[in-house]
Amino acid sequence: MPELPPRQTLLIALAAALVIGALLARNLFSVAPPVVIQAPDGPSSGPASPRVHPPVEFTGPLSLNAATQEELERLPGIGPKLARRIVQDRALQGPYTRVEDLLRIRGIGPKLLERIRPYVRVP
């Protein structure tokens, strides 16, 4: 292999150092993805911090007859209490046959039903 003049060797070493430095900087100082925080539904009644869930990842409508309480809590406007009521109602009354069956649950009215309709389904 032919020997390079000192100037070319220095330029190659500098170029390699710049590439390595750029790769390290990209990995060390990369910006983390933004954190999405959902605003609470309705006015706050006190100093308690709102319940925060990751944003709803919409991969298709959620089955009302198979969803867990945790999955139901991720629906807009549905908190732990309503999710628990849905699961309990499903256990007592049997599977839902239409989305409108949610109206029999205390706390779910026409407005909330229309808000969650795109995210739920019945088989």
Side-chain angles (χ1 to χ4, degrees), residues 28-76:
L28 292 176
F29 302 110
S30 64
V31 178
V35 176
V36 179
I37 299 175
Q38 291 178 326
D41 296 329
S44 178
S45 60
S49 62
R51 174 180 48 87
V52 177
H53 284 295
V56 175
E57 190 173 305
F58 190 72
T59 57
L62 186 65
S63 170
L64 287 175
N65 292 323
T68 64
Q69 180 175 336
E70 291 78 21
E71 291 171 323
L72 292 166
E73 286 179 27
R74 292 177 179 246
L75 294 171

